[in-house]
Amino acid sequence: ICRHLLDVLGIVIGGYVVSIGEIYANLDGLTYQDRFVRAEENDVRCPDESTTQAMRDRIFQVMQNRDTLGGTIEVVALGVPVGLGSHVHWERRLEARLGMAMLSVPAIKGVEIGPAFENSRMQGTSVHDALQLDESGRIIRPTNRSGGTEGGISTGQPIVVRVAMKPI
């Protein structure tokens, strides 16, 4: 019933592997939809075809040494309406609920909404998603540095959550 509700609302959720160990995918130029589709096409669920074999090889090498690897996974929600969540009640804040859901997965030890860790190294004027008017007079945000949430509620932009999984 949940999947049906998402379909009715036009919300699409997908996820993919960004890194395994020290090997990172190059996702530049790939739309989220392309990332979702490409991730389903291989066993390491990485949308970057040029990286998947290196990931497989690294996994095999580490397995031969009887060890494990961690990685980074990105989950994206598209089509989420503006205003989901609360800026008042802590238990209804969208970021808090997303963080709790992600951290409830065993071995997940870190959560980032949008490019939060990258943002932490920048000045505020470089990070804020400024509001602008487009040609038709609609309010838009040309950037999504907040990861689709602001002040506990959804902005209408893609919600981007990145999680770090520790080696088990």
Side-chain angles (χ1 to χ4, degrees):
I1 197 157
C2 239
R3 183 44 122 191
H4 177 69
L5 180 59
L6 292 176
D7 291 342
V8 168
L9 294 173
I11 297 172
V12 175
I13 299 175
Y16 43 89
V17 171
V18 174
S19 70
I20 293 180
E22 69 283 357
I23 300 170
Y24 282 81
N26 178 5
L27 304 176
D28 294 340
L30 287 178
T31 67
Y32 289 122
Q33 293 284 11
D34 287 342
R35 294 175 190 191
F36 301 161
V37 170
R38 289 181 182 199
E40 295 295 328
E41 296 173 350
N42 64 72
D43 56 345
V44 291
R45 295 196 39 78
C46 177
D48 177 16
E49 295 171 23
S50 64
T51 304
T52 56
Q53 190 56 50
M55 288 179 172
R56 280 188 204 99
D57 293 344
R58 184 67 177 128
I59 291 167
F60 183 76
Q61 176 188 34
V62 169
M63 284 174 57
Q64 298 309 302
N65 295 330
R66 301 182 59 80
D67 211 341
T68 60
L69 291 167
T72 310
I73 303 161
E74 195 165 87
V75 179
V76 180
L78 305 173
V80 176
V82 175
L84 187 65
S86 172
H87 69 283
V88 177
H89 303 284
W90 67 268
E91 75 279 8
R92 295 183 196 161
R93 292 180 62 87
L94 186 55
E95 295 99 327
R97 296 186 72 147
L98 290 170
M100 183 177 69
M102 296 295 112
L103 287 169
S104 72
V105 176
I108 297 298
K109 295 298 180 184
V111 177
E112 171 181 45
I113 298 179
F117 296 115
E118 178 185 334
N119 289 348
S120 72
R121 296 185 297 272
M122 301 170 73
Q123 295 179 9
T125 53
S126 302
V127 172
H128 297 298
D129 294 323
L131 299 173
Q132 296 179 357
L133 292 177
D134 68 6
E135 310 81 42
S136 65
R138 278 187 356 193
I139 296 173
I140 61 165
R141 296 171 188 252
T143 59
N144 188 19
R145 303 217 39 96
S146 66
T149 66
E150 189 170 72
I153 62 174
S154 59
T155 64
Q157 294 178 290
I159 295 177
V160 181
V161 179
R162 207 167 290 107
V163 297
M165 180 175 220
K166 75 175 188 80
I168 56 172

